[in-house]
Amino acid sequence: MCFISGQSGGLGEHHLLATDFQTQVQHALENVKIILQNHSMTFDHIVKITLLIVDHNQEKLRIWAEEASKVWSSASLPTSTLIPVSQLALPDMLFEIDAIAVKVK
């Protein structure tokens, strides 16, 4: 099992955040992918995700669905919980995802 704590769209050592929601989602998913690869896993091993979205709205939900469809097929989407929030850990953070991945031997 791999428990992935909240990953934002921050890049690099200084956690640089893009100003737009879609780019932050893309970078957060890339950060999750790196962690999964370090555990010899893929997105298909993820069984549960929690999403935190600042000022959630239908446009952000559409963007999330679009980006999620790039890493999961609709048949392999993990169970998920979406929590709208007013802010996250850093002032410019718009998105955070955590995940639980399971690899059956």
Side-chain angles (χ1 to χ4, degrees), residues 57-75:
N57 59 37
Q58 290 304 305
E59 177 63 11
K60 288 180 179 176
L61 184 59
R62 183 197 63 75
I63 290 168
W64 163 250
E66 178 182 319
E67 295 303 323
S69 73
K70 294 176 183 177
V71 296
W72 287 287
S73 70
S74 61

Side-chain angles (χ1 to χ4, degrees), residues 13-105:
E13 181 181 331
H14 299 290
H15 198 77
L16 300 175
L17 290 162
T19 57
D20 70 287
F21 181 76
Q22 186 159 13
T23 302
Q24 285 195 26
V25 170
Q26 292 166 345
H27 291 170
L29 289 171
E30 185 61 32
N31 291 337
V32 170
K33 180 180 177 182
I34 291 166
I35 295 166
L36 289 168
Q37 288 174 334
N38 286 335
H39 293 277
S40 301
M41 294 179 165
T42 68
F43 281 97
D44 290 334
H45 291 105
I46 294 177
V47 296
K48 170 75 171 88
I49 57 175
T50 301
L51 311 170
L52 300 154
I53 297 178
V54 172
D55 299 327
H56 174 267
N57 59 37
Q58 290 304 305
E59 177 63 11
K60 288 180 179 176
L61 184 59
R62 183 197 63 75
I63 290 168
W64 163 250
E66 178 182 319
E67 295 303 323
S69 73
K70 294 176 183 177
V71 296
W72 287 287
S73 70
S74 61
S76 67
L77 279 171
T79 59
S80 65
T81 300
L82 188 154
I83 304 170
V85 296
S86 60
Q87 66 182 38
L88 290 164
L90 299 174
D92 296 324
M93 246 172 98
L94 303 174
F95 179 80
E96 187 173 339
I97 181 173
D98 68 26
I100 299 171
V102 177
K103 188 173 185 181
V104 179
K105 293 183 180 191

